[in-house]
């Protein structure tokens, strides 16, 4: 509990986005609870949904900086909006049989900095197939680099040149703004609903957005 309170206070103190006290507290509490869970084996993840004009990206950067001050060694910022093709493998690397192939931007970074923070900016503007690549981290706490990371201490998957990368110590922060304009609309409750219904409505809107970009 003491660890969770230290994380919570540190994260709240690092966030300077004006007018977002409630969002800052909720995000900091979510991260602190996940990171303090001794049973956690998957990658800690947080989705920030809101309008860019309200400081969405600034909040993500502040949280990342706050985690860096709490012992997370490095921060990687990825712009998801530039990944528009279904076969984009930049994050996880390409099979070395292909000309110009290389280790993944994401997997190599986490392999070199296991206790890191990765901010996925504008996640709703990427292809769904690209984000699906992250399922291994979110569900099992590991990603596979298709190219194979060259190091003595790498964990090689049996029968292949691929490298299994442990992501369980990393933190993933996603930002998304699709449909966020409704949050400030005077008829938001009528359109989105309340509580669980509102959450389900917005999640569906974000899923639909990934197929249109």
């Amino acid at each position: 509990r003491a660890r969770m309170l230290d994380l919570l206070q540190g994260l709240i103190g690092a966030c300077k986005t004006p007018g977002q006290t409630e969002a800052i507290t909720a995000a900091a509490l979510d991260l602190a609870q996940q990171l303090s869970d001794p049973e956690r084996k998957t990658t800690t993840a947080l989705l920030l949904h809101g309008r860019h004009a309200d400081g969405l990206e600034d909040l993500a950067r502040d949280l990342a900086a706050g985690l860096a001050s709490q012992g997370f060694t490095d921060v990687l910022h990825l712009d998801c909006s530039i990944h528009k093709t279904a076969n984009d493998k930049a994050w996880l690397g390409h099979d070395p049989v292909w000309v110009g192939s290389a280790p993944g931007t994401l997997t190599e970074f986490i392999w070199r900095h296991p206790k890191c923070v990765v901010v996925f900016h504008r996640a709703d503007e990427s292809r769904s197939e690209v984000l699906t690549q992250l399922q291994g981290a979110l569900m099992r706490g590991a990603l596979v680099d298709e190219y194979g990371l060259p190091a003595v201490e790498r964990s090689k998957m049996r029968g292949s040149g691929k490298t299994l990368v442990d992501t369980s110590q990393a933190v993933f922060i996603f930002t998304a703004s699709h449909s966020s304009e409704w949050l400030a609309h005077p008829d938001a409750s009528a359109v989105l609903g309340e509580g669980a219904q509102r959450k389900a409505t917005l999640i569906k809107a974000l899923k639909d957005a990934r197929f249109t970009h």
Side-chain angles (χ1 to χ4, degrees):
R1 183 174 177 80
R3 170 61 175 161
M4 188 187 78
L5 291 176
D6 287 342
L7 277 169
L8 179 61
Q9 292 173 357
L11 290 172
I12 291 176
C15 295
K16 309 298 182 183
T17 309
Q20 297 297 324
T21 303
E22 185 176 349
I24 290 170
T25 302
L29 180 59
D30 192 328
L31 286 173
Q33 288 176 332
Q34 290 187 66
L35 291 169
S36 302
D37 181 2
E39 303 298 322
R40 179 182 58 84
K41 295 181 180 179
T42 57
T43 307
T44 296
L46 175 72
L47 170 62
L48 297 175
H49 178 248
R51 299 188 303 175
H52 294 295
D54 292 332
L56 175 65
E57 305 300 335
D58 290 336
L59 176 55
R61 291 186 178 89
D62 286 348
L63 287 170
L67 287 167
S69 70
Q70 295 289 319
F72 286 80
T73 55
D74 291 272
V75 179
L76 174 65
H77 293 273
L78 296 174
D79 181 0
C80 299
S81 67
I82 66 175
H83 299 284
K84 300 290 189 182
T85 59
N87 61 348
D88 191 323
K89 302 292 185 181
W91 290 350
L92 305 187
H94 294 78
D95 191 301
V97 300
W98 299 104
V99 176
S101 59
T105 305
L106 175 62
T107 45
E108 184 172 26
F109 182 82
I110 298 176
W111 172 74
R112 294 186 182 281
H113 315 283
K115 193 174 181 180
C116 66
V117 183
V118 184
V119 183
F120 297 87
H121 296 278
R122 301 177 182 269
D124 52 332
E125 297 181 26
S126 178
R127 291 277 303 191
S128 59
E129 294 89 346
V130 175
L131 293 176
T132 299
Q133 299 174 28
L134 304 178
Q135 283 186 342
L138 301 177
M139 298 177 67
R140 297 180 295 277
L143 289 172
V144 176
D145 187 278
E146 298 292 335
Y147 183 84
L149 297 169
V152 175
E153 62 268 39
R154 64 189 174 187
S155 174
K156 301 293 288 183
M157 297 184 69
R158 184 176 299 176
S160 75
K162 302 176 182 180
T163 304
L164 186 65
V165 180
D166 181 3
T167 64
S168 61
Q169 296 184 72
V171 176
F172 287 1
I173 299 176
F174 301 86
T175 70
S177 64
H178 190 76
S179 297
S180 60
E181 64 275 9
W182 282 106
L183 297 174
H185 195 280
D187 295 325
S189 295
V191 176
L192 301 176
E194 296 289 352
Q197 181 184 351
R198 173 175 293 199
K199 180 178 180 180
T201 301
L202 291 172
I203 288 177
K204 183 180 184 303
L206 290 174
K207 287 181 178 179
D208 291 343
R210 292 188 304 161
F211 287 100
T212 59
H213 282 283

